[in-house]
Each structure stands twice: as C-alpha cells, then as structure tokens.
Amino acid sequence: MAGGAEFALDRRRALAGKSGWAGLVHNRRIFLITIFASLGGLYGVFSGVLSMKSFENRMASAVDRSGTKGWLVSILELGAWFGVLCTGYLADKLSRKYTIVLAVVIFCIGVVVQTTAYQPSSIYGGRFVTGMGVGSLSMAVPLYNAELAPPEVRGSLVALQQLAITFGIMVSFWIDYGTNYIGGTGDSQSEAAWRIPLALQLVPALILGVGILFMPFSPRWLVNQGRDDEALQVLSKARGLPSDSDLVQIEFLEIKAQYLFEKETNALRFPQYQDGTFRSGFLLGLHAYLSLIRTRTLLYRVAVGSLTMFFQQWTGVNAILYYAPSIFTDLGLTGNTINLLATGVVGIVMFLATIPAVLYVDKVGRKPVLISGAFIMAACHLIVASDICFKGAGWAACVFVWIFSIAFGYSWGPCCWILVAEIWPLSIRGKGLSIAASSNWMNNFIVGQVTPSMMTHLGFGTFVFFGVPETKGLTLEEMDAVFGDREGLGVADQERQMEIANRIGLTAYADGKEKGSPDRYEDEAKV
C-alpha cells in the first residue's frame, strides 16, 4: 500500500494484540468459537471401516472389486465437490451461520443412511450426501472463522482449521482400532464394529449444528445485509471492547469499506446488471466467474490455485489415508489389527506435524516449506514403492509412510490452503477460492477412485512436483508484480479502496481529524 492507503493498518496494529498463539490466547472468545466451529473437520472413519471383516462380508459385492471399491471411497469427494460449488451462493443468501447448520443437516442424513446400510447402494448414496455436507463445511467454516477473527490472528486460524482436520483423522483411526475388536477380528466380528464408528460422526456434527445457533453471525455478512448496528455489537463482544472504541470502529469501517468496494467494483464492471432482479444477479455472478479465464493474469492465478490443490492431492496423501490398511498389507504386515494400529500412527504424526505450520509458516515462507515437504514425500514414495515391488521389510517401509505423513502435515496440508487464499485481488477473492477448493475435492475424488486399480495393477505410485511463486509478506500491489499483472487490477482495487476509506471517514483515525459517525456511511454506495 502507498501513502494514505495505510490509514487503518498502522493505527489498528498499534491497538491490536499480538499474532500467532499469543494473539489466539489474547482473543480467547474468538479462539474458542473458532475451535468450536472447526468441529466440522472431525470426520474420516471410513479408512478403518473399509478393512473390517464384517464390513467386507456385508458389502462384498462392492469391496471385492477394485473398481467398485474405488467408487465406495471416492463418491464422498464427488459429493463434496458439488457441495463446495453450491456453498458460495448459500453462504451469501442464508448467512455463514445458517449455511453451517444446513451442511450439518445434510451431513447427518448421509451418516444415518450409511450407518443403517445393508446394501452397497446405501453406502454409495449415503457417502455422496455426506460428502455434500463435508464440502460445504470445508468452505463455510473457514469463511466464518476468517470473517469473525481479528486480522492479526487470521492466518493462524487458517492453519488451525487444517489442524482440526488432522485431529479428526487421528481420532477416527483410533476409534476404528477400538471398535475393530467388537465380536472378534475374524468372521465372528459384529457389524457394530463398523456401524458404531460411522454413527459416532453424528456426535461432533450435532454439537456443531446446535451450538452454532448460539454463536454470532459473521459481522461481514451482517454489513452486507445492511445490519450495521448488529455488526458493531458482534465486533464489540468478540473483542471485549465498547462499540465506540477506536479498535472496534476501525475494524467495522474496514468491513464497511470492503462491502462498498465490492459493490462499486461490480457496478463499474457490469453496469447493465444492477437492477436487483434474479436474472441480473445470476448474470453478474456468471460474468465474474468468466473474468477469471478471460484475463491473462487472473487465469495465471487460477492455474496456480487449482494446480496447487491438484498436486496436493496427487502427492498421494488421501490414497494413504483411505487405503493405509491395504498398503500396509502389501508392505508385508499381517493381521487386520496390526494394520489398523500402523494406520493410527499415521493420524498421530500428521496431527503433530501440523502444529509447527501454525507457528512458523509466516516466518519461513510458503515456498521453502512446500519444496522441502515435496522432496521428503518424493523420497518416501520411491522407498515405499521399492519395498512393495520387492516385498521387503514391512516395518521399515511403514516408517517411511509415517515420515511421508509428517512431511505432508507440516507442508502441503496447511500451506496449500494459505497460498490459495492469498493470491487473488480482493474483488474476486471469494470466487477464485471456490474454484481452487473445487479443484481440491475433484482431484481428491479421482485419487480415491483410481488408487485401488493402481495398487492392483501397478504396485507403485508416481510423484509430480512443480514450483509456485513465494507470497510470504507480499501486499496486494506486490502480488500483481509477481503474477505479471500489467493491467494493474490490484492497484486499481487499492485506489478505489482508498477513495472509499476517505469518503466514509476511516482515514480520520490515522489523521487525527474528527471521527466519522454511523450517519456518514448509511448510504455510501455511489460510483
């Protein structure tokens, strides 16, 4: 930013607390709300269920063939891909909070269908519906957390969401390990061994669905709905400060400025679609998405965001998470219990490895973390593939699967989500992020679909690596230079933001002039 465009940044930083863990502790209320909302990441029991004897007996027609087994796993990701594409509209229409409630209801319906299933068709249908809820939560929860969080801890909260996901994976593995003993581990095993883990997914979901009703609305959504007084109250309670304090007022005016910025940007780009009708709203959204592929520099960013998520999935992480018991069998480990035990360690080491990402990714940078993680994972792939081909020492190869999980946990797991949230100009950030997130789930679906066939016919995997630009510490203006933006989309965005900030009185907090009042920004949507 240049000159007066730093109007709120310096003043707010002087008033705000620290970042990182210290900032999370300082903002205890938001930290607890964020942890609560992150219950949406607690899922993932199906990996262990898939290898249980009673499940194999019940769903033999689907489990015994690699093609149908792949669909059994990956259909959840197909549902998640569809769910995440619908979430952008729903989050704006219903609110972030009620979108989470709707996603929880859909998730629970899918879980109930799976838990009561007696035919593979019920598992297929249930997992698709569950996936719709998972996909919606994967976008709605981070969006809610980010919009409620103070700016100084927002980056940590992005990584915290990934930490919640890895915690859910870890807990799920050990639930599977425990229920695997119900009725024995052989042909006498009770069907409760796999029905209970599936049903237990309802517990965090229901807690989230009911509890979120008592959580505040996103202040950003309230401003978008013209409910400014409510937005001020939410910010005041969240920060533990009076609504007329400088910090709360600055943050509120920043949100208001962003709302006006987006409204005026749309009006400038698409003046023919400003009559408020459903048709105009639909066409406005469509043209905004088309701009992502019609503008060269935006297309470059779409490619970076989508390919980052593509390669995140094609590192093979979800092949390991879904098919770990089968992989450990191929590595020479015998006995379903031993396989589940080895699989449980995957969850533990991945969870622990994600913690440093929360603490240090802003200091080290994104690119060095991604590169180091990629090379470690590549080495592990080659070693594990060698042991599978030559039936070498099972536990030795098992250790490298765990090392792979550590490498993913600190690098490509959290860093990809941080990166794709940083690379967009503000005016199209939400739409760009939705495209990147849909790439994640679609490639997740493909990996889950093809892995059983690859394991059957190939016995080894392939690793691909590519480079991305470093985005650590860059402003939006500098991001344009990184991506070769000669049209200066980000610069134009910032100039418009500066004009809006002057208009609504936000710069007064830096200049020491008379502060603005709510009357000044009641109707500031002129172009």
Side-chain angles (χ1 to χ4, degrees), residues 393-461:
W395 282 108
C398 181
V399 169
F400 283 99
V401 172
W402 296 336
I403 294 174
F404 171 91
S405 301
I406 292 172
F408 181 86
Y410 84 81
S411 61
W412 285 76
C415 283
C416 288
W417 288 102
I418 296 172
L419 181 71
V420 299
E422 293 176 327
I423 61 177
W424 312 98
L426 293 176
S427 55
I428 47 86
R429 180 166 294 166
K431 294 176 177 60
L433 182 56
S434 71
I435 295 297
S438 68
S439 171
N440 175 277
W441 286 111
M442 177 52 69
N443 285 286
N444 198 333
F445 161 72
I446 295 171
V447 168
Q449 174 66 22
V450 304
T451 297
S453 297
M454 290 178 66
M455 290 171 62
T456 300
H457 300 294
L458 296 179
F460 58 91

Side-chain angles (χ1 to χ4, degrees), residues 95-171:
S95 80
R96 283 62 161 139
K97 185 167 86 168
Y98 290 145
T99 298
I100 292 173
V101 174
L102 178 61
V104 166
V105 171
I106 294 172
F107 177 87
C108 289
I109 292 172
V111 169
V112 170
V113 172
Q114 290 181 74
T115 303
T116 59
Y118 282 89
Q119 299 293 333
S121 57
S122 297
I123 296 292
Y124 288 131
R127 281 184 63 75
F128 182 83
V129 174
T130 299
M132 291 173 60
V134 169
S136 184
L137 287 170
S138 74
M139 186 171 178
V141 170
L143 183 62
Y144 177 79
N145 287 345
E147 291 186 348
L148 197 61
E152 64 268 18
V153 296
R154 195 164 291 154
S156 294
L157 291 177
V158 173
L160 190 64
Q161 171 71 5
Q162 179 66 22
L163 188 67
I165 292 173
T166 57
F167 178 76
I169 292 170
M170 178 182 68
V171 172

Side-chain angles (χ1 to χ4, degrees), residues 47-48 173 320-321 324-325 328 338-348 402:
S47 170
F173 280 147
I320 288 178
L321 293 178
F328 289 134
I338 293 177
N339 288 340
L340 287 177
L341 179 62
T343 301
V345 177
V346 170
I348 292 176
W402 296 336

